[in-house]
Amino acid sequence: MTNLKLIACGMGLPKKVVTNEDMAKTVDTSDEWIYTRTGIRARRFCDEGESNFTMALEAAKNAIAAAGITPDEIGCVVCATFTPDYLTPSLACLLQLHLGLSEDIPALDVNSACTGFIYATTVARGFLDQSDREYALVLGVEQLSRVVDMTDRATCVLFGDGGAAAIYKKSESAAFDSFLGAKGSTEITCGGISREIVPSPLWMNGKEVFRFAVGAMYRCITDLMERNQLTWEDVDHVVCHQANARIIDRCIHKLKAPEEKFYKNMDHLGNTSAASIPLAIAELEEAGRIKAGDKLLLIGFGGGLTWGGALITYGGK
Ligand code: ACO
């Protein structure tokens, strides 16, 4: 099967910044409580005229421009989201229409919550393997402010909205590996159509999810490194799902891993679920901290419960 290399990312963020102090005006909380438990200081929330789709479109346009390709070169579009504007058409189909992508390519949404970007990358690899085209457009996009109960202080302070897109290119030589896992559970739920079955707002068992997240991250990193015979010298960046700084710190400690290789951005974006990994890569790119040939470990865990890890190579523009 063909390997992939990541050649460019693009972001689509809402304009409105909501600080912990802003949250404390509406629920009984404080900057001190939120920051010490999560590492979060602020998040973005969509305002009027912004939505899952508008963030996705902006991110995709930015990624396509950064990659220096044309939409007709794209061989598939896969969107990771559990907060799409419509159940149908999918976000991927909306992007096919608005970006003028070929009609002869697959367009699909993937719902694996916070692990979504790893699942979407793996799905895109399979599609590209069957395609004459060279590039895949893969997104992680969430409008979590739409599904969070803004009166529930235990959840509303944790999440933010955002989207990011990645352009992958087929590569024979780039290091690539991924694996995925799932264990059905109702530790994290968010009601959809069947509101009589599951209460609508996003709900999670915070303590259980914390335990699961540390274990899943540890296993994803050690498995990926063992399978690919990597040492920490070989890894340039570890980009984990940005749920909580304490989860990442606990894992770094358990692994005795070099802290500086773990990127964190939840301080200004909060937990953006499927968008958090591609947003982090886009920020690394924008800051000039990532160069051609760099090896990245992408580590996701979240609702489902799901988890997954990917070893990817950054190809430069
Ligand atoms: N402000 C102030 N107090 C609060 C807040 C708040 N925002 N939220 C809860 N509290 C209170 C609680 O009511 C509780 O009070 P009590 O002791 O009087 O009952 C106290 O703070 C402690 O609450 P805990 O839930 O025990 O706090 P904990 O230290 O476990 O931290 C947290 C909660 C941050 C949610 C943590 O459990 C966590 O990070 N879990 C993992 C979340 C995660 O990773 N999610 C990712 C997946 S999400 C997805 O896939 C969509």
Side-chain angles (χ1 to χ4, degrees):
M1 189 183 268
T2 188
N3 282 358
L4 301 180
K5 68 177 178 177
L6 192 155
I7 60 165
C9 287
M11 288 189 256
L13 285 171
K15 288 177 201 62
K16 189 164 88 181
V17 175
V18 179
T19 63
N20 290 347
E21 286 82 5
D22 294 330
M23 297 301 295
K25 288 177 195 153
T26 54
V27 286
D28 181 14
T29 190
S30 65
D31 176 55
E32 197 268 333
W33 192 97
I34 300 169
Y35 185 70
T36 53
R37 279 174 179 76
T38 67
I40 297 167
R41 290 265 191 222
R43 72 287 293 143
R44 304 280 185 107
F45 283 155
C46 286
D47 223 334
E48 214 160 299
E50 295 174 322
S51 71
N52 180 294
F53 168 69
T54 64
M55 294 187 287
L57 187 63
E58 187 185 342
K61 283 182 174 171
N62 286 338
I64 291 168
I69 63 168
T70 54
D72 58 299
E73 292 178 276
I74 292 170
C76 65
V77 51
V78 186
C79 298
T81 185
F82 77 95
T83 54
D85 291 356
Y86 300 91
L87 290 181
T88 191
S90 65
L91 174 59
C93 284
L94 291 175
L95 289 178
Q96 185 280 326
L97 173 68
H98 289 268
L99 292 167
L101 304 179
S102 165
E103 291 180 10
D104 298 323
I105 65 166
L108 171 82
D109 285 2
V110 167
N111 173 352
S112 331
C114 307
T115 320
F117 188 72
I118 316 280
Y119 269 73
T121 293
T122 310
V123 169
R125 183 191 185 198
F127 282 149
L128 263 203
D129 199 52
Q130 309 286 313
S131 172
D132 293 336
R133 291 183 167 87
E134 288 290 303
Y135 299 96
L137 172 62
V138 178
L139 292 96
V141 189
E142 302 287 11
Q143 189 178 353
L144 292 162
S145 61
R146 181 146 69 182
V147 295
V148 164
D149 176 356
M150 289 295 174
T151 65
D152 174 15
R153 67 177 182 172
T155 50
C156 71
V157 301
L158 304 174
F159 298 100
D161 298 338
I167 302 289
Y168 286 106
K169 186 175 192 226
K170 283 181 184 172
S171 166
E172 292 308 319
S173 57
F176 183 93
D177 186 25
S178 73
F179 69 88
L180 307 169
K183 178 180 186 287
S185 153
T186 50
E187 298 291 6
I188 304 172
T189 57
C190 182
I193 294 169
S194 302
R195 281 166 197 229
E196 70 282 5
I197 299 173
V198 181
S200 186
L202 186 61
W203 175 89
M204 72 175 160
N205 181 346
K207 279 196 197 313
E208 274 311 309
V209 174
F210 193 101
R211 257 192 293 276
F212 153 73
V214 174
M217 254 183 77
Y218 179 85
R219 206 189 115 200
C220 286
I221 294 174
T222 49
D223 280 7
L224 263 187
M225 290 182 71
E226 268 173 41
R227 281 160 58 123
N228 295 282
Q229 298 175 340
L230 299 173
T231 67
W232 285 113
E233 289 287 296
D234 305 315
V235 176
D236 297 288
H237 300 281
V238 186
V239 181
C240 300
H241 169 48
Q242 304 286 309
N244 183 320
R246 283 193 307 151
I247 294 175
I248 297 178
D249 292 342
R250 188 78 62 89
C251 199
I252 292 171
H253 180 74
K254 241 178 121 179
L255 286 161
K256 299 186 179 57
E259 192 179 353
E260 67 282 1
K261 299 203 177 196
F262 286 68
Y263 187 69
K264 288 187 206 151
N265 68 2
M266 74 287 285
D267 61 330
H268 56 279
L269 293 180
N271 176 351
T272 57
S273 189
S276 85
I277 292 174
L279 276 170
I281 306 171
E283 285 192 351
L284 278 168
E285 200 178 39
E286 199 173 75
R289 287 180 53 186
I290 189 168
K291 58 183 189 312
D294 276 2
K295 286 195 180 63
L296 281 71
L297 301 185
L298 311 184
I299 308 296
F301 54 84
L305 299 168
T306 55
W307 60 89
L311 161 67
I312 63 161
T313 308
Y314 184 77
K317 289 175 188 169

